[in-house]
Amino acid sequence: MKLEVFADVLCPWCYIGKRRLSAALARHADRDSVEVVWRAFELAPEEGRVPGPTAAEAMAGWWGEQAPARVARIQSMGAAAGVELNLHLARPVNTFDAHRLCKLAADRGRADEMMESLLHAYHTEGLNVADPHILQRLSGAAGVDADQARAVLAGDGYADEVRADRRRAVELGVTGVPNLVIDGRPPVSGVQPVADLLRLLERATRPEQPVPATPGR
């Protein structure tokens, strides 16, 4: 089974969804049959490399008076999943290079570790995940050779692969993240409860039990 995970480093729900998916996969009886492929989905491709307002400040602009309660809810759900979401520290930046390094990591069998490293750096530590020096350090922490990461960042390596993920998202109807695509079926929300994600995986391994096309987030 091929499980494509469309996600972006900037999305707190993606960090929550990643932890929930990991928990579901750990409980899946046929885990070895599941190929997890991380797909790039840039939420803010217009952002630059220099951090601006925090995620919490941006959310205040979106949600107004509702923002404090909604931010608290996101943080509470993150804590329940075992992640610390410091939205008052995280500052949105361009994630194109971060996604390129995820592609490099995937070629080295370290995509999950690279995504975890990036999500923790951005959401918990408030680091600039567009800074090449920080990206190199995070690559090393994820088990990816820092010199290889430096070479990718200095050129345009894996740029075509990131752009291809954009096109695939359009083809599949993915409009937000986190979204999961199981064996090319319609996308489903990737931030469902662990038990629901486990049921999705189990149904997908039994062809006679079709995966319901529940809408994405």
mmCIF file of all heavy atoms in Angstrom, residues 13 25 27 40 51 71 101 149-150 157-158 167 174 176 182 188 192:
data_model
loop_
_atom_site.group_PDB
_atom_site.id
_atom_site.type_symbol
_atom_site.label_atom_id
_atom_site.label_comp_id
_atom_site.label_asym_id
_atom_site.label_seq_id
_atom_site.Cartn_x
_atom_site.Cartn_y
_atom_site.Cartn_z
ATOM 1 N N TRP A 13 -1.169 21.532 12.380
ATOM 2 C CA TRP A 13 -1.983 20.325 12.244
ATOM 3 C C TRP A 13 -1.172 19.201 11.619
ATOM 4 O O TRP A 13 -1.427 18.019 11.896
ATOM 5 C CB TRP A 13 -3.216 20.608 11.396
ATOM 6 C CG TRP A 13 -4.182 21.546 12.034
ATOM 7 C CD1 TRP A 13 -4.429 22.848 11.694
ATOM 8 C CD2 TRP A 13 -5.056 21.275 13.138
ATOM 9 N NE1 TRP A 13 -5.380 23.391 12.515
ATOM 10 C CE2 TRP A 13 -5.788 22.451 13.403
ATOM 11 C CE3 TRP A 13 -5.275 20.141 13.926
ATOM 12 C CZ2 TRP A 13 -6.724 22.524 14.421
ATOM 13 C CZ3 TRP A 13 -6.215 20.213 14.941
ATOM 14 C CH2 TRP A 13 -6.935 21.404 15.180
ATOM 15 N N LEU A 25 0.243 3.732 12.543
ATOM 16 C CA LEU A 25 1.106 2.786 11.836
ATOM 17 C C LEU A 25 1.736 1.788 12.805
ATOM 18 O O LEU A 25 1.904 0.603 12.481
ATOM 19 C CB LEU A 25 2.193 3.550 11.074
ATOM 20 C CG LEU A 25 1.743 4.274 9.811
ATOM 21 C CD1 LEU A 25 2.829 5.227 9.328
ATOM 22 C CD2 LEU A 25 1.385 3.271 8.714
ATOM 23 N N ARG A 27 0.444 0.563 15.343
ATOM 24 C CA ARG A 27 -0.576 -0.412 15.756
ATOM 25 C C ARG A 27 -1.090 -1.245 14.598
ATOM 26 O O ARG A 27 -1.852 -2.201 14.803
ATOM 27 C CB ARG A 27 -1.749 0.333 16.418
ATOM 28 C CG ARG A 27 -1.392 0.950 17.759
ATOM 29 C CD ARG A 27 -2.428 1.953 18.223
ATOM 30 N NE ARG A 27 -3.777 1.411 18.260
ATOM 31 C CZ ARG A 27 -4.861 2.120 18.568
ATOM 32 N NH1 ARG A 27 -4.723 3.417 18.897
ATOM 33 N NH2 ARG A 27 -6.051 1.579 18.574
ATOM 34 N N ALA A 40 5.349 17.342 -0.803
ATOM 35 C CA ALA A 40 5.443 18.770 -0.487
ATOM 36 C C ALA A 40 4.157 19.495 -0.840
ATOM 37 O O ALA A 40 3.594 19.291 -1.923
ATOM 38 C CB ALA A 40 6.609 19.386 -1.265
ATOM 39 N N PRO A 51 12.164 35.764 8.604
ATOM 40 C CA PRO A 51 10.949 35.634 9.410
ATOM 41 C C PRO A 51 10.280 36.980 9.679
ATOM 42 O O PRO A 51 10.952 37.989 9.892
ATOM 43 C CB PRO A 51 11.449 35.003 10.712
ATOM 44 C CG PRO A 51 12.732 34.344 10.345
ATOM 45 C CD PRO A 51 13.347 35.221 9.301
ATOM 46 N N VAL A 71 -6.066 29.164 19.181
ATOM 47 C CA VAL A 71 -4.644 28.863 19.376
ATOM 48 C C VAL A 71 -4.473 27.916 20.564
ATOM 49 O O VAL A 71 -3.699 26.945 20.499
ATOM 50 C CB VAL A 71 -3.847 30.162 19.597
ATOM 51 C CG1 VAL A 71 -2.446 29.853 20.136
ATOM 52 C CG2 VAL A 71 -3.748 30.955 18.301
ATOM 53 N N LEU A 101 15.058 19.409 0.881
ATOM 54 C CA LEU A 101 15.861 18.550 1.744
ATOM 55 C C LEU A 101 15.093 17.295 2.158
ATOM 56 O O LEU A 101 15.696 16.237 2.380
ATOM 57 C CB LEU A 101 16.323 19.315 2.977
ATOM 58 C CG LEU A 101 17.413 20.356 2.738
ATOM 59 C CD1 LEU A 101 17.898 20.923 4.064
ATOM 60 C CD2 LEU A 101 18.597 19.767 1.976
ATOM 61 N N ALA A 149 23.537 17.926 2.026
ATOM 62 C CA ALA A 149 22.491 18.941 2.197
ATOM 63 C C ALA A 149 22.989 20.295 1.724
ATOM 64 O O ALA A 149 22.255 21.041 1.056
ATOM 65 C CB ALA A 149 22.069 19.008 3.665
ATOM 66 N N ARG A 150 24.220 20.623 2.053
ATOM 67 C CA ARG A 150 24.807 21.901 1.633
ATOM 68 C C ARG A 150 24.860 22.002 0.114
ATOM 69 O O ARG A 150 24.539 23.040 -0.470
ATOM 70 C CB ARG A 150 26.204 22.049 2.228
ATOM 71 C CG ARG A 150 26.848 23.408 1.953
ATOM 72 C CD ARG A 150 28.245 23.492 2.557
ATOM 73 N NE ARG A 150 28.214 23.265 3.997
ATOM 74 C CZ ARG A 150 28.697 22.187 4.600
ATOM 75 N NH1 ARG A 150 29.260 21.214 3.887
ATOM 76 N NH2 ARG A 150 28.633 22.069 5.909
ATOM 77 N N GLY A 157 18.924 21.263 -6.732
ATOM 78 C CA GLY A 157 18.585 19.858 -6.565
ATOM 79 C C GLY A 157 17.224 19.642 -5.937
ATOM 80 O O GLY A 157 16.868 20.318 -4.978
ATOM 81 N N TYR A 158 16.488 18.712 -6.493
ATOM 82 C CA TYR A 158 15.166 18.302 -6.022
ATOM 83 C C TYR A 158 14.083 19.372 -6.204
ATOM 84 O O TYR A 158 12.952 19.179 -5.749
ATOM 85 C CB TYR A 158 15.209 17.844 -4.557
ATOM 86 C CG TYR A 158 16.075 16.629 -4.353
ATOM 87 C CD1 TYR A 158 17.395 16.758 -3.901
ATOM 88 C CD2 TYR A 158 15.594 15.350 -4.622
ATOM 89 C CE1 TYR A 158 18.208 15.645 -3.729
ATOM 90 C CE2 TYR A 158 16.406 14.231 -4.452
ATOM 91 C CZ TYR A 158 17.709 14.385 -4.004
ATOM 92 O OH TYR A 158 18.516 13.284 -3.834
ATOM 93 N N ARG A 167 1.914 19.648 -8.619
ATOM 94 C CA ARG A 167 1.033 19.200 -9.701
ATOM 95 C C ARG A 167 0.219 17.985 -9.274
ATOM 96 O O ARG A 167 -0.969 17.880 -9.597
ATOM 97 C CB ARG A 167 1.859 18.885 -10.943
ATOM 98 C CG ARG A 167 2.548 20.109 -11.556
ATOM 99 C CD ARG A 167 3.123 19.796 -12.927
ATOM 100 N NE ARG A 167 4.211 18.824 -12.866
ATOM 101 C CZ ARG A 167 5.482 19.153 -12.694
ATOM 102 N NH1 ARG A 167 5.838 20.425 -12.546
ATOM 103 N NH2 ARG A 167 6.409 18.214 -12.668
ATOM 104 N N VAL A 174 -6.109 17.642 -3.752
ATOM 105 C CA VAL A 174 -5.642 18.037 -2.416
ATOM 106 C C VAL A 174 -5.610 19.557 -2.346
ATOM 107 O O VAL A 174 -4.922 20.211 -3.127
ATOM 108 C CB VAL A 174 -4.240 17.470 -2.124
ATOM 109 C CG1 VAL A 174 -3.719 18.007 -0.794
ATOM 110 C CG2 VAL A 174 -4.276 15.949 -2.113
ATOM 111 N N GLY A 176 -5.614 21.220 0.957
ATOM 112 C CA GLY A 176 -5.142 21.626 2.279
ATOM 113 C C GLY A 176 -4.320 20.518 2.885
ATOM 114 O O GLY A 176 -4.189 19.432 2.307
ATOM 115 N N ILE A 182 -4.340 7.284 -0.231
ATOM 116 C CA ILE A 182 -4.028 5.868 -0.116
ATOM 117 C C ILE A 182 -4.229 5.186 -1.452
ATOM 118 O O ILE A 182 -5.346 5.123 -1.969
ATOM 119 C CB ILE A 182 -4.900 5.195 0.961
ATOM 120 C CG1 ILE A 182 -4.685 5.868 2.325
ATOM 121 C CG2 ILE A 182 -4.596 3.707 1.050
ATOM 122 C CD1 ILE A 182 -5.583 5.335 3.420
ATOM 123 N N VAL A 188 -8.006 12.160 2.032
ATOM 124 C CA VAL A 188 -8.747 12.192 3.295
ATOM 125 C C VAL A 188 -7.937 12.984 4.302
ATOM 126 O O VAL A 188 -6.720 13.147 4.162
ATOM 127 C CB VAL A 188 -9.041 10.768 3.836
ATOM 128 C CG1 VAL A 188 -9.889 9.986 2.866
ATOM 129 C CG2 VAL A 188 -7.740 10.031 4.135
ATOM 130 N N GLN A 192 -7.116 13.007 11.638
ATOM 131 C CA GLN A 192 -8.162 12.259 12.320
ATOM 132 C C GLN A 192 -7.601 11.580 13.575
ATOM 133 O O GLN A 192 -6.394 11.412 13.714
ATOM 134 C CB GLN A 192 -8.742 11.201 11.378
ATOM 135 C CG GLN A 192 -9.361 11.761 10.106
ATOM 136 C CD GLN A 192 -9.895 10.668 9.210
ATOM 137 O OE1 GLN A 192 -10.706 9.841 9.631
ATOM 138 N NE2 GLN A 192 -9.437 10.646 7.967
#
